[in-house]
Amino acid sequence: MKSSLHILGEYTLLMGKTFTAPTRWGMFFRQLMREIYKLGADSLGIVVIISIFIGTVIAIQISLNISSPLIPKFTIGYTTREIILLEFSSSIMCLILAGKVGSNIASEIGTMRVTEQIDAMEIMGVNSANFLILPKIVGLMLFIPVLVVFSMFTGIIGGIGASYADINGMTPSSFIYGLQFYFNSYYIAYSVIKALVYAFIIASVASYFGYNVKGGALDVGKASTNAVVMSSILILMADVILTHILLT
Amino acid sequence: MIEIRNIRKTFDGRTVLNNISAVFETGKTNLIIGQSGSGKTVLLKCIIGLLRPDSGDIMYDDAGILHLRKHELDKLRKEMGMLFQGSALFDSMTVLENVMFPLDMISRDSYRDRKKRAMFCLERVNLLNSEHLYPSEISGGMMKRAGIARAIALNPKYLFCDEPNSGLDPKTSLLIDELIHDITKDYRMTTVINTHDMNSVINIGETIAFIKEGVLEWQGNKFEVITSNNQALNDFVFASDLFRKIKDMENQKEG
Ligand SMILES: Nc1ncnc2c1ncn2[C@@H]1O[C@H](COP(=O)(O)OP(=O)(O)OP(=O)(O)O)[C@@H](O)[C@H]1O
Ligand SMILES: [Mg+2]
C-alpha cells in the first residue's frame, strides 16, 4: 500500500506534467472535442432520466410530508427547487458522474498504460500526460456544468409533473408559484462553481489512478474502482468546504 | 552506434541484468537473443530510457542517455523508433492515424506532407489497404507491421524492435525480418532487435548478443553461431532437432 503522502506527491507531479501548454494545439482541440462529444453522448441521457425521476419523487415526498394546513402549499415547490438547485443537481449528480465517467477514464488510461501505449508516446518524445489528461480535465470542466444546469431544468420539470398528481392538495399553480418564490440566482452560480470543482476532481483523480496502474487487466479494474471511491470521497469533502465558503 | 557498459538492473533486490556490455553497430541489425524471462525486454527498456538501470552507462553516439537533460532527452527520442512486444498501437485511432501520430505531434510539415509520409511508410510495410481500420480489426501480423510503420514514420536513426515476429507464422516472420533488415540498410539505422526466433538469428543476425539469466553469455554473428562451442548457446539456439542436424552438417562440411 502506498502512503497517502506518497499518493499526494505522485498526483501533484502528474498534474505538473499535465498542465503545460500543448505542443500541438490542433491535436489538443481534436482530443478536447472527442472528450466533450463522448461525455455528452454517454451521460446526457442518464442525467435527464435520473433528474426527472428524482425531481418527481422529491415533490411527491415533500407534499406527503407537509400535511399541516398551517403550511402553505407553495412550500412544496419552493423546497423542491431549493433541494434540486443547491444539492441534487450539482453534488448528487456529480457523484453519479464520478461513478460513470470516472471509472471510464481510469480504465481507458489504465489500459493504455498496461498495453504500453503510454510508453510508446513517451518514446516518441510526446508528453503523454499532457496529451491524454489535459483534454479530459478541460472537457469535463466545460461540459459537466452544462450537464448540471440540464439536470436542474429536467429535475424541476419532473417536480412540475408530480404536481399534476394532486397529492395532499398540491396544485400545479401553487407549485409553480413556489418555484418562483424567493428565487436567488446566486444558488445557480453556487452550483456551477461546485460542478467545476467536482469536474476537476473526477477527471484528475481518475486519470491519476489510470496513469499509475502497474500490472495487467486486473489492476486496471482495481484502479477504476479506487478512482471512483477516491473521487466520491473528495467530492463530498469539497461539498462541505465549498458550501462553507460560498454560502455562509 | 549504441554502446552499453556494465548495465545492472534489479527489481526489489532480484537481479535481472548483471553487468552487461555490448555495442550495437550503425547500419546493422543487432540481435539480442535469450530465453523467455532472460531479461531482453528489460535490457531494451533500459537502452531506450524507459527503465533506469541501477548502474552502468548507455551511449548514443557519445551522448550518455542517463545524463541528458529533459529537453536533450526529448530531442534524442525524436530520433528513436520502437516496436513494442505487444505492438502498443493506440486503439482509439485507425492504422493511418497511428502512423501519423508521431508526425502530427513532432514534425512541422503540412498535413499533406505528413499524410504522404504516413502512406509511404504504410506502403513500405505492405499495409496500404488497411489504413482506415482500427487495431482491433486487424491481425497480429498486421499490427506488428503497423507498429513498424509508426516506428519509422519520423525516419529515426535508432530502431528498436521487441520480438517483431513472436506469434507469427514462419513466412510472415521472414517477411518482417527482411523488412526490418531492408529498412536498416536503406536508411542506415542502428537497429536493435530482441528475439528468440532462430530463423531470425540465421537470417539477419549481423551482431548477436546472447543473454542467459541476465548475464551476457556469448557475443558474435550469425556465422559464428553455427560453429560456436558455447554449451549454453548451443542448447538454446539448437534446441530444435532440425537446427541441430543443420549444424552437424555445416560442421562436417568444414571438418
Ligand atoms: N517491472 C518489473 N518488475 C519486476 N520484475 C520484472 C519487471 N519487468 C520484468 N521483470 C522480471 O525480469 C525478468 C526478465 O523479464 P523480461 O521481460 O526482460 O524477459 P524477456 O527476456 O523479454 O522474456 P520474453 O522473451 O518472454 O519476452 C523476468 O523474470 C521478469 O519477471
Ligand atoms: Mg520480452
Side-chain angles (χ1 to χ4, degrees), chain B residues 30 44 58 68 78 93 111 120 137 141 161 168 193 201 203 218 220 228 235 244-245 247 249:
Chain B
N30 304 277
L44 202 61
I58 296 157
L68 293 180
K78 285 163 195 163
M93 303 181 195
Y111 176 81
F120 172 79
E137 299 168 335
C161 303
L168 301 183
I193 304 165
V201 173
N203 281 331
W218 181 87
S228 162
D235 285 350
R244 209 172 303 135
K245 281 183 183 137
K247 180 184 165 79
M249 271 158 57

Side-chain angles (χ1 to χ4, degrees), chain B residues 176-188:
Chain B
I176 290 202
D177 280 348
E178 275 167 10
L179 174 66
I180 295 172
H181 184 78
D182 292 349
I183 293 170
T184 304
K185 296 295 163 196
D186 291 354
Y187 307 110
R188 262 189 75 71

